[in-house]
């Protein structure tokens, strides 16, 4: 093909000449242009224009110009690229099923009320740790296959893999009994995976939220996640429906978490001492340090209102250290005042035990406070021991 030098890309031949010379001076021997143009009939053509550069015997730089009509190939590439982009945008790379974006789009398209279910697997990290990530991905695919077999796609049921062991399911309708039956069937089918793949048993738990087209999907999914966290700790069932009390609890937890750093800085956490007496002579032989939170309004917050929250959010370590440090300082003050001190035990939360060198760290705190460690013994709970 002979190019029309009046085309926009090649209109300024002098600029093209300088460009080719510059390319050759850089040690490159090829220059490629891709551009749309029109033939004499007004048909659009996509040109692939290659310049092969060389130097002749007289030292002149020469260019061999090769032009191809790549219109059909370009259209196929564009279509393939579009398909590839859609695959990345809407489909999960592990399961090849819908991802969350596609799930939301289909849910809006169907415009049906029903239940949104958030699904997780108990201790899935153990599978990755023991069996490896490759086996973990295989388990994720098998879980997905089980979900597709249990739900009814012809009845507008939907599902998607979010990430890791997290899935989302939509079941249209308003009958809770049918939904629970579906989830029980899914739980049973998941048990077979452990036998087929030789992995620890798969135990799912579900959070359920009601959804209608007037409600934001993100809000309903967030509610389902909240309910799922409640279901995780239930003894007699593995599912929970979202209710408004969960919202109030979430608001409370958010306030507690947001206030933690400020409360530490303002020393709102009070150390109370529960005495220990000898049953033989009724003499004081020790005490146990208890923590109470006196908020800015002067009210006392009980430990069971904030300790579990801090344990879940890994804040408890800082509170444990705060209590221990303050007990050490108090013991030292009493000692300097000439008082006879007794051991005051400090409870260490289960979460703190996961950190390396925790005993050495508390030993250093005691040493800095110049208090012997027998006066600040550390206690752990029965559940932590187990």
């Amino acid at each position: 093909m002979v190019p029309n030098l009046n085309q926009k890309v090649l209109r300024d031949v002098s600029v093209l000449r300088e460009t080719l010379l510059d390319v050759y001076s850089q040690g490159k021997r090829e220059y490629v242009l891709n551009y749309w143009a029109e033939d004499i009939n007004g048909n659009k053509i996509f040109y692939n224009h290659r310049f092969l550069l060389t130097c002749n015997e007289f030292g002149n730089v020469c260019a061999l110009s090769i032009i191809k009509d790549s219109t059909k190939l370009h259209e196929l590439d564009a279509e393939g690229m579009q398909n590839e982009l859609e695959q990345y945008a809407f489909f999960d790379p592990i399961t090849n099923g819908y991802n969350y974006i596609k799930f939301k789009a289909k849910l809006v398209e169907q415009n049906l009320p029903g239940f949104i279910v958030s699904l997780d697997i108990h201790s899935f990290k153990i599978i990755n740790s023991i069996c490896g990530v490759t086996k973990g991905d295989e388990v994720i695919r098998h879980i997905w296959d089980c979900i597709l077999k249990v739900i009814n796609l012809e009845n507008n049921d939907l599902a998607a893999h979010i990430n890791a062991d997290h899935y989302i399911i939509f079941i249209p309708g308003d009958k809770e009994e049918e939904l629970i039956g579906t989830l029980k069937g899914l739980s049973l089918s998941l048990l077979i995976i452990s036998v087929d793949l030789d992995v620890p048993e798969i135990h799912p738990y579900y959070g359920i939220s009601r959804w209608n087209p007037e409600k934001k999907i993100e809000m309903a999914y967030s509610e389902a996640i909240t309910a799922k966290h409640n279901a995780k700790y239930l003894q007699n069932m593995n599912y929970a429906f979202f209710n408004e009390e969960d919202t109030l609890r979430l608001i409370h937890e958010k306030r507690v978490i947001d206030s933690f750093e400020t409360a530490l800085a303002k020393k709102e956490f009070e150390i109370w001492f529960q005495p220990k007496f000898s049953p033989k002579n009724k003499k004081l032989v020790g005490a146990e340090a208890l923590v109470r939170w006196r908020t800015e309004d002067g009210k006392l917050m009980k430990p069971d209102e904030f300790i579990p929250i801090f344990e879940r959010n890994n804040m408890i370590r800082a509170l444990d250290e705060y209590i221990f440090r303050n007990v050490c300082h108090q013991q030292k003050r009493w000692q300097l005042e000439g008082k006879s001190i007794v051991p005051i035990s400090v409870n260490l939360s289960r979460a703190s035990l996961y950190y390396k060198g925790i005993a050495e760290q508390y030993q250093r705190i005691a040493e800095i406070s110049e208090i012997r460690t027998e006066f600040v013994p550390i206690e752990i709970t029965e559940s932590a021991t187990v």
Side-chain angles (χ1 to χ4, degrees):
M1 295 177 60
V2 179
N4 179 356
L5 295 183
N6 291 322
Q7 296 298 339
K8 185 177 181 181
V9 177
L10 300 177
R11 186 169 55 225
D12 194 337
V13 179
S14 61
V15 172
L16 176 62
R17 181 178 182 278
E18 295 302 320
T19 300
L20 295 178
L21 288 172
D22 183 54
V23 168
Y24 186 83
S25 68
Q26 294 175 28
K28 300 176 183 176
R29 296 297 178 261
E30 184 178 24
Y31 182 68
V32 180
L33 287 173
N34 291 300
Y35 55 94
W36 284 99
E38 289 184 0
D39 63 13
I40 56 174
N41 298 318
N43 299 314
K44 287 191 179 252
I45 299 174
F46 187 80
Y47 287 122
N48 171 254
H49 196 159
R50 295 172 64 212
F51 296 89
L52 303 182
L53 306 174
T54 186
C55 187
N56 65 15
E57 63 213 55
F58 304 108
N60 298 319
V61 177
C62 303
L64 173 64
S65 172
I66 304 173
I67 293 188
K68 291 182 180 178
D69 180 351
S70 299
T71 309
K72 289 189 180 299
L73 185 61
H74 179 75
E75 288 173 349
L76 288 173
D77 284 347
E79 183 181 350
M81 188 178 293
Q82 181 65 28
N83 291 337
E84 191 172 351
L85 286 173
E86 287 185 5
Q87 184 70 24
Y88 279 118
F90 302 126
F91 292 87
D92 179 74
I94 299 178
T95 65
N96 287 323
Y98 289 166
N99 62 11
Y100 185 48
I101 296 172
K102 184 68 172 180
F103 176 90
K104 291 193 293 183
K106 291 291 290 183
L107 192 57
V108 170
E109 180 185 318
Q110 290 181 179
N111 202 38
L112 295 170
F115 300 98
I116 284 182
V117 181
S118 178
L119 161 63
D120 265 22
I121 304 299
H122 278 289
S123 304
F124 185 79
K125 290 180 181 178
I126 293 176
I127 295 176
N128 280 334
S129 300
I130 296 174
C131 309
V133 175
T134 302
K135 178 68 77 171
D137 287 349
E138 189 178 359
V139 172
I140 287 171
R141 284 190 289 272
H142 274 69
I143 293 172
W144 175 251
D145 292 339
C146 287
I147 292 172
L148 293 184
K149 288 176 183 176
V150 170
I151 67 174
N152 187 352
L153 297 176
E154 294 180 359
N155 191 43
N156 295 312
D157 293 4
L158 291 172
H161 178 226
I162 304 296
N163 54 48
D165 59 319
H166 311 310
Y167 301 82
I168 186 171
I169 301 170
F170 172 72
I171 306 292
D174 58 357
K175 296 180 180 178
E176 293 184 4
E177 298 81 7
E178 292 183 6
L179 170 67
I180 293 169
T182 300
L183 298 182
K184 285 181 177 179
L186 177 56
S187 298
L188 287 173
S189 66
L190 293 179
L191 288 174
I192 303 172
I193 294 177
S194 60
V195 178
D196 293 342
L197 300 183
D198 192 25
V199 295
E201 285 191 357
I202 307 296
H203 294 289
Y205 56 103
Y206 312 91
I208 308 163
S209 172
R210 291 183 177 274
W211 183 80
N212 59 69
E214 289 76 37
K215 190 174 185 178
K216 286 187 177 180
I217 299 172
E218 287 80 4
M219 176 63 73
Y221 182 44
S222 178
E223 291 175 353
I225 291 174
T226 301
K228 178 180 64 183
H229 290 158
N230 293 337
K232 186 175 184 178
Y233 302 103
L234 295 177
Q235 299 296 322
N236 56 345
M237 60 180 65
N238 63 349
Y239 63 88
F241 286 86
F242 177 82
N243 57 58
E244 291 306 318
E245 290 180 3
D246 294 328
T247 303
L248 296 176
R249 182 179 56 80
L250 281 177
I251 293 171
H252 169 70
E253 288 191 6
K254 184 71 166 59
R255 286 175 181 166
V256 168
I257 292 167
D258 291 345
S259 304
F260 178 67
E261 295 292 342
T262 304
L264 274 183
K266 291 184 176 181
K267 298 184 177 180
E268 293 179 4
F269 293 102
E270 298 179 356
I271 313 300
W272 291 19
F273 300 103
Q274 179 171 285
K276 297 178 182 178
F277 293 96
S278 167
K280 290 182 179 179
N281 53 26
K282 298 184 180 179
K283 285 186 178 181
L284 181 71
V285 293
E288 180 180 356
L290 306 174
V291 63
R292 299 291 184 269
W293 187 353
R294 193 177 296 277
T295 54
E296 283 186 325
D297 57 7
K299 293 180 179 179
L300 278 176
M301 196 184 301
K302 297 177 182 178
D304 58 2
E305 294 182 48
F306 59 88
I307 293 292
I309 298 172
F310 293 155
E311 286 182 335
R312 288 196 296 271
N313 289 275
N314 295 322
M315 295 174 169
I316 194 65
R317 185 183 183 187
L319 182 60
D320 281 350
E321 286 187 21
Y322 173 89
I323 296 168
F324 186 77
R325 190 175 285 108
N326 277 273
V327 170
C328 289
H329 292 169
Q330 182 62 64
Q331 288 281 59
K332 188 61 181 177
R333 279 195 296 270
W334 281 330
Q335 208 173 48
L336 292 173
E337 292 169 4
K339 295 177 180 178
S340 178
I341 62 174
V342 293
I344 298 178
S345 61
V346 178
N347 281 310
L348 197 61
S349 69
R350 178 172 49 187
S352 288
L353 296 177
Y354 286 101
Y355 293 95
K356 272 189 173 183
I358 194 73
E360 291 79 6
Q361 185 174 348
Y362 278 71
Q363 177 103 24
R364 283 194 298 271
I365 295 172
E367 288 173 356
I368 292 169
S369 305
E370 298 180 340
I371 195 79
R372 297 209 310 269
T373 52
E374 61 257 35
F375 290 115
V376 281
I378 289 174
E379 291 186 358
I380 58 176
T381 62
E382 293 88 343
S383 62
T385 308
V386 172

